[in-house]
Every structure is written in C-alpha cells, then in structure tokens.
Amino acid sequence: MAGSRQIERAAAAWLARRDGGDWSPGDQAQLDAWLAQSTAHRVAWLRLQAAWNQSDRLKALAAGVAPGEVPARGAWSASPYAPRGEAQASGQDDRATAEPLDPEEDARAVVAQASAAAPATAVTTAPLIGLTFTPRATPRSPRTARYAAAAAIALVAMSLLWGWQRYGVVEHRSYRTAIGALDTIGLADGSRATLSSDSRIDVALSRAQRHVALEHGEAFFDVAKDPGRPFAVDAGARRVIAVGTRFSVRRDGPDLRVVVTEGTVRLESEPVDGRTQPTTLLPAGSIALAGANGVLVRSGSIEDAERFVDWRNGYLVFRDTALSAAVAEFNRYNTRRLVIGDAAVGELRVGGNFRWSNAEVFVGLLEQAMPVRAERLPDRIVLHSR
Amino acid sequence: MDTALDAWFADEILVHEAALVHYLRRVWAHIDDVHDLRQEIYVRVYEAAGRARPHQPKSFLFATARHLMTDRLRRGRVVSIEPVGDFESLNVLVDEVTPERRLGARQNLRRLADAFDLLPGRCREVVWLRRVEELPQKEVAARMGITEKTVEKQVAKGMRLLAEHYYGATQSPADDAQDADRNREHGRKQTD
C-alpha cells in the first residue's frame, strides 16, 4: 500500500483536476475506480474535499477587497467578520448572536441574565449550567445569612436536645474525613452516608426522627425507606428532607448544593425576617444550588445528576467547565493546591473525567492540551497563561 | 457510495483531527509516523462506521487510535514508544478536552482565514483567485503568467495545506507553541 502522503497527494490531484474544469464522465469513472480501490483513498479524498468545501466560506472575507486583488496576510480585521484580533466587544457580540447555541449555552445565558437582575450578591453558578432562577423576595447580606446560619445551628442543637429527651436517642455521633479521604458510614437505620473529602456530619437518630447536620463539605446519602421517620439533613439555614432516596448535599460557605439521583427530596429554608420561604421539591435528576439570593434548580437526566456525585468513585467529571471551577473542585480533595495565576487561565474550559487524587496528572494534561504553563511549588501549583 | 456516511465522517470525525494529531504526537515516539497513523485510524473508523455508526464518535476515534498503536507495537513495526504519564488518564482526557463542534460560524471563518494565511505566497494567490473570485483556471494562469498545469498543482497543494491547517488547528490561535508547531509542519510540507 502506498504511503499516506502519496495517497493524500493523489487525492489532491484528483480534486484539483475536477475543480479545474474539463471534467468528463470518463474522468469521473476513473476517479470512482480510484476511490473504490481502497478505503485509504476514500478517507483522504473525503478529508480534502470537506476542507475544500469549507474554504468556500472564505468568500465572506472578500467583502471590501477589490476584485483580482489578494488581500495581505492577516488583513482580515477590517472585514465586518473580524476573524482576527477579535476585540473584546466583538467577542461579547459573538456570545450574544452566535447561532448554533447549544442548550447548555442557552441556559448559561439565562443564568447570566438572572444574576444580572440581582447584582447585589454574587451568584456562584460555576459548576452548574442550565439552571432556572427563583429570586428571593429580599436579597440578604452574607452577614445576616451567617447570623441565620448560626441561629439555625443553635435551633438544630436545641431541637436535637429536645428530641433526645423526648424520644431517646438511637444513635448520636459525628463523623469527619480529612482532605483527600472518603468514608462510607452505615447508620443505625440502615441508611448509608458517604463523606467526601474534608467533610463532617453529625448524625442524630431517634425513634421518631432522623437528623443529620452537615457541618461542612459534602455527603451523599443512600437513605433507607422509613415513611414514619423522615430523613432530614440540616445545612445552615436550609434543610433537605427525604423519605427513601439517594441524594447528596454539599456546603460551600453559605451556598448549598443538592443533587438528587433517586426519589424526591424537599428543600426547605428558614424563614427570613419572619417570612416563610418557598419549599422546593426536587425530583431525581435535580441539581439545586441554594445561595444567599435564592435557589437555582436544574432538572436534567439522572445520568447528568450522577456525574456531580462521581467523586464517590474517585472521579471529578467536568463538562465545558471553567478551569477556575475545576481547580476549586480539585482543591477540595488535595492539600497541594492548584492556583489560578491569571484570569485568562481561569476562563479556559475543560471537559473529561479526572481522578481527584491525581491533580498532578490533570496539570500535566492541561499543559499539553491547553495554553497553560504550570509553576510547580512545594505547596501549590500555579497555572499561568502561555 | 454512501453519502450519509461521508457526511458523518466529516462532521463527527474530521473535526477532532487537531486533538487526535496532538494525542498521537504526544504518545508516539516517531513523529514521522503520525501522518500514516492518522490515515490508518481514519480507515478503520470509516470502515467500522460503515457497519454500525458509533454512538460516541470522538471516544471511538481515540479508542481506535489506541488499538492501532497497540497493534503496531505488538507487530514490532515500531521499536519504542514514549509512555507519557498515566495511560488511563490519557484515555479519559481525550474524551472531551476540545469542544471543536462548539465552533460558531465566526470562529470557523477565523480558523479558515488563519489556515489560508499559512499558505505559501503563490499558492495563496491561486487559491484566492480560484476559490473566492472563482476565476477560471485559464484566466488565473494568464493573470499570473504560469501554466494551467501549475495552477492545478498549486490548487492541489492548497487543498492539502488548507485541510492540514483547518482541521489541524487548535482552538486558540494565540497559542504560540501550536503556531510554531504549525509553521514547522508548514515548512516541512513545502520542502517535501
């Protein structure tokens, strides 16, 4: 078999000849015979033909160029299409008008609008795309949120005490994990909790109630069915209640993320300034992000939701995720931190499944596949634009 | 002739060429083999897709690449491979790192313009006159004072180089290393 370069040359010669005119049925028959001769011929031909068909679009650049004149290299910025040296403005314009917006992109735009509508507080939508936005009646400052959180924890503590006196405690203990460690705990009621890296839960099971307080980090719950004894996870000012289901709850400072992979859970919030807050029902496939200024819910497929809890299997799954968000994920699991060196690096988008235990490999791959340079220091790795 | 398969091949496989070539260069010790490997991978993918279209074209493409390299190693046609890191994680990285198909029309045009600008002078002129202004071959030859045969040869060369730069281009044109890479390849193309 001829080498791939010869084949490519032959394919190009055929294509150029056909393109040049004077193309007879006899020529076509010969070409067909050549193409039928081997798949290697065919793929080489297809590839060149596809690119050549694409190059038809270069005509769009001819606007404003005098006929018979070949524009200088890189002279495209003057064209209305601004294919080169794309300015910031045109970049934004791109985002607003780019035609084949995929659904994710659409949804992101919705989030962007939503966050613009409530500019007082930052919305952390980083790892979540495709959310609908339920604005809270009054945006709260992080400070009141903290008071509310403290109050809620006190309240929980009090209710636990009350419950302990009233019903007698079946199990009451704390579990915690170090950075980079996972732990799965079998609870007395048959439920199981998987603690992510650097997480802590306080479990209080009584004969009438099942209470878990998520102090920090993330935990995935596989709840044993017991309709008479709801399973409630308290996290700050919010509470997630399930009957029998699988879901995860995660705290990021004042923010809470709930991912439901089976059954339905109820997300409740503490009253704010005496006003009760709406309760959100989350069916399987939901990803809810509760922040200081509201609850964002995305309802998607269960597979989609599963990928947010793939850390249980040792993986972090990214899909068109900003590098800044991906790095934050890695930092949940590793003591040697990844640091974003400049804003441009943070905005790069990454995808794929990565072992969270191996940030070093992740960084190596970034360096090879993206315009990233890594500065390796003993306690951290700084990522710079290249 | 299966035009649906051909269209599928262009839309689902060729768009990943940059990632594929990048991957091959990284794991295969002999850069000179990459062109050959690429073709053989395309052949295998095309033939397999003729029987049944893979659900995840990009993963399938890279799986095919790995199988081919394994086969070649086994047959001893190549003496050494440089193992770069952890093969397992390479597998997963290639899954999605470059979302080529997200390219909008403008980015696409920009990529074309970049590919076009990398053509050598005479070739670039011929391609412009033939492709954009759609002048007949004869007229291009007369205008440039070259034979029609030369015009055709330049078009053929333009086709090869455009395909190389268009499909082989990476996402960010600002990526210096990639540019250097492309230029180097460009230089080699012209000399061979």
Side-chain angles (χ1 to χ4, degrees):
Chain A
M1 191 176 75
S4 58
R5 287 180 197 278
Q6 279 102 305
I7 291 175
E8 190 176 288
R9 276 166 192 283
W14 275 113
L15 193 57
R17 227 180 102 196
R18 196 185 67 171
D19 196 64
D22 285 342
W23 186 250
S24 72
D27 292 332
Q28 182 64 44
Q30 275 187 38
L31 170 61
D32 288 343
W34 185 77
L35 288 175
Q37 217 176 345
S38 94
T39 311
H41 293 178
R42 179 148 202 99
V43 292
W45 164 269
L46 281 176
R47 178 172 171 275
L48 293 180
Q49 190 188 38
W52 189 241
N53 286 344
Q54 286 287 328
S55 74
D56 188 49
R57 302 193 197 185
L58 284 171
K59 287 187 185 124
L61 299 175
V65 177
E69 205 174 281
V70 184
R73 285 178 213 274
W76 311 115
S77 41
S79 111
Y81 291 87
R84 264 178 168 270
E86 212 166 37
Q88 209 73 27
S90 86
Q92 276 166 8
D93 185 43
D94 254 8
R95 231 164 296 137
T97 58
E99 67 264 51
L101 269 185
D102 59 16
E104 284 187 359
E105 211 119 37
D106 261 328
R108 211 178 301 130
V110 172
V111 173
Q113 279 167 6
S115 53
T121 22
V123 190
T124 36
T125 54
L128 288 173
I129 33 193
L131 297 156
T132 50
F133 187 71
T134 321
R136 186 182 271 259
T138 36
R140 296 186 305 166
S141 74
R143 196 159 153 190
T144 41
R146 220 173 300 134
Y147 286 138
I153 289 168
L155 204 72
V156 168
M158 275 159 60
S159 68
L160 285 178
L161 189 68
W162 179 80
W164 177 73
Q165 285 168 337
R166 172 94 193 259
Y167 295 105
V169 168
V170 176
E171 182 184 2
H172 188 178
R173 50 179 300 196
S174 298
Y175 303 91
R176 64 170 71 224
T177 48
I179 290 181
L182 300 189
D183 195 12
T184 296
I185 303 135
L187 305 180
D189 67 334
S191 301
R192 283 187 313 159
T194 306
L195 283 190
S196 184
S197 162
D198 191 25
S199 301
R200 181 180 157 192
I201 54 169
D202 293 335
V203 178
L205 302 178
S206 71
R207 277 177 213 85
Q209 283 169 322
R210 295 183 284 176
H211 268 291
V212 173
L214 176 65
E215 300 298 341
H216 58 85
E218 178 168 15
F220 182 90
F221 300 98
D222 189 351
V223 180
K225 280 202 169 56
D226 189 348
R229 210 160 49 134
F231 190 94
V233 179
D234 285 290
R238 299 183 196 272
R239 166 178 285 195
V240 182
I241 300 161
V243 178
T245 191
R246 292 153 69 87
F247 64 100
S248 103
V249 182
R250 155 169 164 176
R251 288 182 75 162
D252 266 325
D255 297 327
L256 188 71
R257 189 178 83 183
V258 182
V259 178
V260 185
T261 58
E262 193 182 294
T264 303
V265 304
R266 200 162 76 229
L267 176 62
E268 294 180 352
S269 307
E270 293 284 338
V272 176
D273 303 327
R275 269 169 300 205
T276 45
Q277 297 300 310
T279 294
T280 316
L281 269 186
L282 305 171
S286 300
I287 296 152
L289 186 74
N293 55 344
V295 180
L296 299 149
V297 180
R298 182 177 79 167
S299 301
S301 67
I302 292 170
E303 290 83 357
D304 242 355
E306 291 273 14
R307 98 187 149 85
F308 284 92
V309 291
D310 233 2
W311 51 263
R312 292 177 300 143
N313 308 319
Y315 283 100
L316 293 173
V317 184
F318 303 132
R319 230 172 53 194
D320 196 17
T321 307
L323 186 53
S324 53
V327 156
E329 287 295 312
F330 268 103
N331 287 342
R332 295 175 75 89
Y333 298 93
N334 294 288
T335 44
R336 190 180 182 198
R337 304 186 76 74
L338 303 182
V339 179
I340 296 289
D342 57 70
V345 163
E347 283 165 13
L348 292 171
R349 305 199 84 85
V350 296
N353 308 346
F354 304 90
R355 288 215 159 267
W356 52 249
S357 55
N358 209 337
E360 180 60 41
V361 164
F362 176 66
V363 169
L365 294 168
L366 282 179
E367 280 182 295
Q368 282 161 341
M370 308 195 100
V372 172
R373 178 174 61 80
E375 183 189 358
R376 291 176 173 75
L377 303 168
D379 61 329
R380 62 188 195 277
I381 302 175
V382 187
L383 305 173
H384 301 280
S385 292
R386 174 148 61 89
Chain B
M1 196 171 286
D2 183 349
T3 48
L5 175 60
D6 292 355
W8 175 87
F9 186 74
D11 294 344
E12 301 289 342
I13 296 300
L14 290 177
V15 291
H16 301 301
E17 183 166 307
L20 175 69
V21 169
H22 190 85
Y23 172 64
L24 294 176
R25 288 214 181 116
R26 205 141 43 82
V27 295
W28 199 253
H30 302 272
I31 297 292
D32 291 346
D33 290 345
V34 167
H35 197 278
D36 246 18
L37 282 172
R38 187 185 75 195
Q39 176 186 272
E40 207 172 327
I41 290 161
Y42 283 166
V43 166
R44 286 186 180 198
V45 169
Y46 186 86
E47 287 179 345
R51 295 185 289 272
R53 240 29 80 78
H55 293 299
Q56 295 187 312
K58 189 170 184 182
S59 308
F60 184 75
L61 175 66
F62 281 89
T64 307
R66 285 193 297 278
H67 290 155
L68 176 67
M69 289 189 283
T70 317
D71 285 357
R72 284 212 175 183
L73 283 180
R74 227 177 260 146
R75 274 183 279 151
R77 278 167 61 176
V78 168
V79 275
S80 70
I81 184 168
E82 270 174 279
V84 184
D86 168 0
F87 214 65
E88 268 303 297
S89 50
L90 278 177
N91 297 359
V92 289
L93 175 86
V94 296
D95 205 34
E96 260 185 312
V97 103
T98 46
E100 291 83 357
R101 276 185 294 140
R102 302 256 160 95
L103 278 185
R106 285 173 190 229
Q107 286 158 293
N108 199 10
L109 187 58
R110 174 195 188 140
R111 200 154 147 172
L112 272 173
D114 285 343
F116 176 68
D117 275 354
L118 284 168
L119 297 180
R122 193 155 69 148
C123 181
R124 188 169 172 274
E125 194 174 345
V126 167
V127 168
W128 182 266
L129 295 176
R130 285 287 293 127
R131 193 73 183 129
V132 178
E133 304 210 359
E134 296 186 312
L135 296 180
Q137 190 163 290
K138 196 175 244 167
E139 200 173 315
V140 174
R143 190 180 288 222
M144 295 181 65
I146 53 181
T147 65
E148 275 199 58
K149 198 73 209 159
T150 310
V151 173
E152 198 179 296
K153 276 192 178 152
Q154 291 295 329
V155 168
K157 181 176 181 178
M159 286 165 170
R160 282 192 295 115
L161 294 178
L162 273 179
E164 202 71 23
H165 298 144
Y166 176 70
Y167 285 123
T170 49
Q171 285 286 299
S172 90
D175 186 341
D176 289 339
Q178 280 303 332
D179 279 346
D181 214 31
R182 270 190 276 173
N183 290 337
R184 195 175 63 225
E185 182 161 292
H186 187 206
R188 194 174 67 208
K189 274 279 155 45
Q190 278 177 275
T191 52
D192 70 15

